[in-house]
Amino acid sequence: MNRRKDLGSWQAAKAAGEKLVMITAYDHPSARLAQAAGIDGLLVGDSLGMVVQGRSDTLGVSLEAMVYHTEMVARGAPECLIVADLPFGAFEASPEAAFAAAAALLKAGADAVKLEGGLPMAETVRFLSERGVPVIGHIGLTPQHVRQLGGFRRQGTGAEGAARLAREAEALAAAGARMVLFEAVPAELAATLTARLPVPTIGIGAGAGTDAQILVWHDVLGLSPRPPSFARTYCDGAGLIIDALGRYAAEVREGKFPPT
Ligand code: KIV
């Protein structure tokens, strides 16, 4: 078994100063490849609304879609930690609603759920944690709040923003969150909070000082038309696929495939 399946090993890695690696995954073949590459944890992110379903934000993603994708990913990477996002509308109304949604994701194969939101979500994090649901808090830029934030904007800036982010991170950890994810926040702030928090932190667009890093599958593999500036693209996936498909099409049209 991969030694990162168990959340306790993430806590031990933080204590040992070992960096942890996550990527999003949405289906069985990508989960299988990520596990083969030695990735520690996979997030079935509601970013699937944008990169898989072609929406302009994540708000339209349903719990049913999250369950469907979580099942595929969990089957593909049984040795990785599998985290599934609680989608917008499935958890905010009450801790009980959050528990029902989280239970569906755990039954689908998730090892933990991630939810967006700071102080208002602390009670829900406690409720879930006390009932056997490992929770990861997601603060900073929370894409589910994009309409309230007025766009995909950097967060935690200025003294007031930094103080609020610190309060949120500490409240989530105190409520039982097993990890805290920082998205699009100043690197120095994320590093300071990482040193202060008792639980591992995950960063995306939050500098090099968090315990773990995460990126979106399509950004890493060159499949996003406009990857965010903080992402790094490790291959020209779109170019490779278009080239392969073009050669296949040409060979069919030229009578070279199938062979006679
Ligand atoms: O949904 C997602 O992919 C995420 C990552 C951007 C952290 O929440």
Side-chain angles (χ1 to χ4, degrees):
M1 286 291 278
N2 185 309
R3 62 198 171 98
R4 301 296 186 208
K5 180 75 178 161
D6 164 30
L7 270 164
S9 69
W10 288 63
Q11 190 67 47
K14 179 184 177 83
E18 284 172 42
K19 290 284 183 188
L20 296 154
V21 189
M22 293 188 73
I23 191 166
T24 64
Y26 312 105
D27 60 24
H28 184 273
S30 22
R32 194 167 47 78
L33 294 175
Q35 177 174 292
I39 299 287
D40 297 308
L42 302 183
L43 170 68
V44 188
D46 63 353
S47 52
L48 70 85
M50 299 172 77
V51 298
V52 176
Q53 297 176 336
R55 300 174 191 271
S56 57
D57 59 39
T58 59
L59 301 187
V61 176
S62 66
L63 179 61
E64 290 69 29
M66 293 306 303
V67 165
Y68 173 68
H69 287 274
T70 300
E71 284 173 346
M72 290 187 273
V73 170
R75 278 196 292 267
E79 297 177 8
C80 295
L81 179 80
I82 309 292
V83 181
D85 266 340
L86 284 167
F88 182 69
F91 66 98
E92 301 89 335
S94 68
E96 289 79 4
F99 183 82
L105 294 173
L106 261 54
K107 284 175 203 257
D111 299 303
V113 299
K114 176 168 79 56
L115 60 78
E116 294 184 17
L119 295 174
M121 284 299 125
E123 185 196 341
T124 296
V125 170
R126 186 176 302 285
F127 189 90
L128 295 182
S129 303
E130 288 174 349
R131 285 161 181 77
V133 179
V135 184
I136 296 173
H138 176 159
I139 53 177
L141 170 56
T142 45
Q144 291 175 7
H145 304 159
V146 62
R147 301 213 178 132
Q148 197 175 41
L149 297 174
F152 294 95
R153 296 177 199 283
R154 206 159 171 70
Q155 302 295 311
T157 53
E160 202 183 306
R164 189 170 53 246
L165 196 82
R167 276 199 305 279
E168 289 175 337
E170 278 161 5
L172 291 171
R178 301 294 300 273
M179 296 200 249
V180 177
L181 183 146
F182 298 124
E183 177 165 355
V185 304
E188 209 175 295
L189 177 60
T192 303
L193 293 176
T194 295
R196 200 189 298 168
L197 288 180
V199 296
T201 60
I202 308 165
I204 178 164
T210 52
D211 298 304
Q213 292 291 327
I214 185 166
L215 284 174
V216 167
W217 180 268
H218 295 65
D219 297 340
V220 172
L221 297 175
L223 300 170
S224 297
R226 281 174 305 282
S229 56
F230 56 73
R232 186 168 293 171
T233 295
Y234 286 85
C235 73
D236 177 19
L240 290 170
I241 291 170
I242 291 169
D243 176 62
L245 294 178
R247 284 186 291 115
Y248 165 56
E251 289 198 355
V252 171
R253 290 183 188 123
E254 290 162 13
K256 292 182 181 160
F257 181 83
T260 46

